[in-house]
Amino acid sequence: MEPVISEADGEAVQEVQVNGEDTTKEPEMTMTQDGEAYADKDNGYQQQNGQHEEEIRDLALSGQVGFDSLPDQLVNKSVAKGFSFNILCVGETGLGKSTLMDTLFNTRFENVPAAHDLPGVNLSSSTYELQESNVKLKLTVVNTVGFGDQINKEESYKPIVDYIDQQFENYLQEELKIKRSIQLYHDTRTHACLYFIAPTGHSLKSLDLVTMKKLDSKVNIIPVIAKADTISKSELHKFKIKIMSELVANGVQIYQFPTDDETVADLNSTMNGHLPFAVVGSTEEVKMGNKMVRARQYPWGVVQVENENHCDFVKLREMLVRTNMEDLIEQTHTRHYELYRRCKLEEMGFVDTAPDNKPLSLQETYAVKRQEHMSQLQKKEDEMRQMFVVKVKEKEGQLKTMEKELHDRFDKLKKDHADEKKRLDDEKRRLDDEIELFNQKKKQFNDEMATLPGKNKKK
Ligand SMILES: Nc1nc2c(ncn2[C@@H]2O[C@H](COP(=O)(O)OP(=O)(O)OP(=O)(O)O)[C@@H](O)[C@H]2O)c(=O)[nH]1
Ligand SMILES: [Mg+2]
């Protein structure tokens, strides 16, 4: 009955005898080094990757093995490694974002009040190391600065979307590296977005709706009504209903506390019904009875932050920190990051299936892409060569016409020159004839004068 480990083709094959029967004639489950499971078949391996029915049999252990310590091993490893959690606080200037963070984590983060006159929305991020018992938490708090302060708020959501995308991109780049160090990588992907709604008691502002709509596929949104002590109990109830119906009407998906784990299903589904949480923040301590509590003191009374009759701060802390922090991290990775990764890889041309619906491995996709790229290059080269030939021919034609024009002009000039020469020769000849005639006439005149001596002598 003892499991026997034998080596076949360098891979470990486990032969198990059940009820005294040798089962090695059955297809054996074999683990390869990279963890893929195969079943021996007469003509080779049948891959067990979910596409085929897995042949897994239940076996009872006859003694303590010890792998029941796996959850403890996991916990110890996680605690030693430490946790990181990243919160993004989106809300108008002065809504109490920093105060709520201080109240939530019972500490004083470095807070500088934001400027009101910025031309656009900025994000400021700070990372802190917190420790509670032996658990270390690397907490990154990102705040919007100047959100809602501009006259034109059309682009206010953009810097927030860009920030979230940039954190996804950084993670994707790390994943795609040949030499990656995901284990040591400081994951800055945004795990939760606390969206601070102004306690107007009316309805959501269009800025809130647009921003939440743009963010809902990228981050887990938990809406909170800020400074809830400034709104009366009955107004608050109506305000909550109004906000939720507006979110539903505009198709804004906010984070729902998970109800699949039965230990927290009841609590989480009740809490889903309390959304958005109406919160009050304060770092001031007030003496109530014989103990100090965090509260806001007014001339007419005291609002206790951790009193569930006064506000939902405790509910928020319970849900965000104590019950669902791990789920928020997981959702970020499995839903939001996965979506970003898929779109990005598709944008880069990677696909899982070929046009004929056959699965395509990364290597095959690369080969197809390379082929496509090479044929595109070839096509471009051919086009350029053809264009070059056409251009050269065009230029040749132009040069030929110019040469012909020049020849024609030269011939015409030559002809003009010959005509002019002929004309001048004729003129010269005519003038020569005239001179000849004149000389003859002159000679004749002189001769005539010479034959008349008397006249000259009288004088
Ligand atoms: N009434 C009331 N006032 C609050 C609450 N939380 C904070 N405040 C006050 O609101 C003012 C602004 O609080 P901050 O926490 O600096 O607000 P912020 O949103 O971080 O402001 P910026 O970072 O400048 O945008 C302070 O005077 C706080 O004391 C609250 O729950 N109720
Ligand atoms: Mg602040």
Side-chain angles (χ1 to χ4, degrees):
M1 288 283 208
E2 282 289 312
V4 184
I5 309 290
S6 70
E7 290 287 313
D9 295 338
E11 292 167 349
V13 179
Q14 190 173 11
E15 297 168 0
V16 184
Q17 288 193 343
V18 182
N19 298 334
E21 283 173 34
D22 187 349
T23 58
T24 48
K25 287 193 188 75
E26 293 282 320
E28 282 297 320
M29 294 309 296
T30 306
M31 289 306 286
T32 61
Q33 272 182 332
D34 56 4
E36 274 180 326
Y38 292 94
D40 274 345
K41 284 277 170 211
D42 290 346
N43 54 358
Y45 290 118
Q46 184 193 4
Q47 200 169 348
Q48 302 289 305
N49 60 1
Q51 289 167 21
H52 305 280
E53 271 295 299
E54 286 197 42
E55 293 177 40
I56 298 175
R57 291 162 295 154
D58 285 339
L59 293 181
L61 302 172
S62 43
Q64 165 77 17
V65 176
F67 59 75
D68 57 354
S69 69
L70 263 174
D72 299 332
Q73 292 176 33
L74 206 64
V75 168
N76 292 341
K77 220 172 168 179
S78 300
V79 168
K81 193 176 149 224
F83 298 85
S84 70
F85 190 69
N86 310 317
I87 300 187
L88 167 66
C89 296
V90 181
E92 290 172 41
T93 308
L95 268 187
K97 302 181 290 292
S98 306
T99 311
L100 189 75
M101 281 301 110
D102 287 354
T103 321
L104 258 179
F105 290 94
N106 218 352
T107 185
R108 269 195 187 264
F109 297 114
E110 298 145 359
N111 296 319
V112 189
H116 291 252
D117 48 4
L118 296 173
V121 176
N122 290 340
L123 279 101
S124 82
S125 154
S126 311
T127 302
Y128 309 89
E129 281 268 356
L130 307 178
Q131 183 158 0
E132 191 172 31
S133 313
N134 63 339
V135 178
K136 284 198 193 112
L137 180 69
K138 199 184 263 185
L139 180 75
T140 302
V141 180
V142 184
N143 267 303
T144 53
V145 180
F147 186 75
D149 287 339
Q150 296 73 34
I151 294 172
N152 182 357
K153 302 181 179 71
E154 225 170 274
E155 301 274 276
S156 295
Y157 68 87
K158 244 178 150 257
I160 308 170
V161 169
D162 290 348
Y163 172 84
I164 295 172
D165 279 348
Q166 189 55 52
Q167 309 320 306
F168 284 148
E169 183 61 30
N170 294 348
Y171 190 84
L172 181 65
Q173 287 309 322
E174 186 62 36
E175 257 191 353
L176 293 178
K177 272 186 190 166
I178 307 280
K179 255 182 156 178
R180 56 189 185 167
S181 43
I182 290 282
Q183 293 298 319
L184 301 173
Y185 178 78
H186 177 210
D187 185 2
T188 52
R189 291 172 299 172
T190 314
H191 300 128
C193 165
L194 286 185
Y195 194 96
F196 288 70
I197 299 165
T200 58
H202 291 290
S203 55
L204 284 171
K205 299 178 185 179
S206 49
L207 173 66
D208 298 330
L209 280 171
V210 170
T211 309
M212 279 196 258
K213 185 79 202 134
K214 293 283 180 193
L215 296 183
D216 72 352
S217 59
K218 295 181 180 292
V219 67
N220 300 311
I221 301 177
I222 303 174
V224 294
I225 298 170
K227 298 187 175 180
D229 52 333
T230 59
I231 191 166
S232 78
K233 202 173 173 179
S234 59
E235 278 173 348
L236 182 64
H237 182 67
K238 282 189 213 142
F239 191 35
K240 276 191 179 191
I241 295 172
K242 185 92 205 276
I243 290 171
M244 288 314 281
S245 69
E246 279 189 340
L247 290 177
V248 171
N250 287 281
V252 178
Q253 297 274 327
I254 58 165
Y255 174 70
Q256 292 292 307
F257 303 115
T259 50
D260 42 6
D261 174 0
E262 59 188 36
T263 53
V264 288
D266 285 348
L267 176 69
N268 277 354
S269 64
T270 318
M271 289 299 167
N272 281 329
H274 283 287
L275 283 168
F277 295 134
V279 293
V280 173
S282 173
T283 43
E284 194 186 327
E285 298 223 318
V286 177
K287 196 162 190 213
M288 295 298 293
N290 53 3
K291 63 175 184 174
M292 299 296 284
V293 292
R294 280 178 301 168
R296 298 189 74 83
Q297 206 165 10
Y298 295 104
W300 58 88
V302 173
V303 183
Q304 294 170 37
V305 169
E306 288 173 75
N307 185 332
E308 287 207 54
N309 290 321
H310 292 189
C311 71
D312 298 333
F313 172 80
V314 170
K315 293 188 179 74
L316 174 69
R317 186 178 61 193
E318 182 68 37
M319 289 292 95
L320 180 72
V321 184
R322 300 187 177 176
T323 312
N324 297 307
M325 199 178 245
E326 185 49 36
D327 185 71
L328 285 159
I329 296 172
E330 197 185 304
Q331 290 289 322
T332 303
H333 186 69
T334 55
R335 244 180 77 209
H336 303 301
Y337 172 65
E338 207 53 33
L339 182 66
Y340 177 84
R341 183 180 168 279
R342 200 183 74 205
C343 294
K344 198 73 196 187
L345 292 183
E346 277 173 1
E347 222 173 76
M348 286 159 74
F350 290 105
V351 283
D352 287 334
T353 49
D356 55 4
N357 264 344
K358 274 196 191 142
L360 214 58
S361 72
L362 197 68
Q363 206 176 353
E364 285 166 325
T365 312
Y366 173 73
V368 170
K369 269 273 131 206
R370 192 168 184 280
Q371 187 57 43
E372 255 175 37
H373 181 67
M374 293 312 278
S375 56
Q376 260 178 13
L377 268 184
Q378 188 61 44
K379 210 174 131 204
K380 260 208 179 126
E381 198 182 320
D382 291 349
E383 275 173 14
M384 277 175 80
R385 193 168 288 141
Q386 271 177 10
M387 218 155 81
F388 180 71
V389 171
V390 170
K391 280 244 163 91
V392 166
K393 274 194 179 149
E394 240 173 50
K395 255 288 153 331
E396 250 175 27
Q398 278 175 0
L399 281 174
K400 268 189 184 145
T401 339
M402 271 163 73
E403 196 184 346
K404 195 174 167 299
E405 276 173 15
L406 269 177
H407 273 297
D408 291 351
R409 260 170 61 195
F410 178 70
D411 288 348
K412 192 174 172 293
L413 276 175
K414 221 163 107 181
K415 192 174 165 290
D416 288 354
H417 175 74
D419 289 352
E420 187 66 16
K421 193 167 175 279
K422 190 172 168 292
R423 196 184 59 78
L424 285 175
D425 283 351
D426 290 350
E427 186 76 3
K428 187 173 174 267
R429 232 179 345 263
R430 194 182 56 76
L431 282 175
D432 283 349
D433 289 350
E434 259 179 38
I435 290 170
E436 181 72 16
L437 193 69
F438 175 75
N439 284 339
Q440 274 177 16
K441 279 194 177 163
K442 189 180 165 194
K443 192 170 174 288
Q444 200 180 346
F445 176 75
N446 284 341
D447 287 350
E448 276 176 17
M449 285 301 282
T451 53
L452 295 172
K455 273 186 186 178
N456 287 337
K457 275 177 190 169
K458 266 188 199 172
K459 282 183 184 178

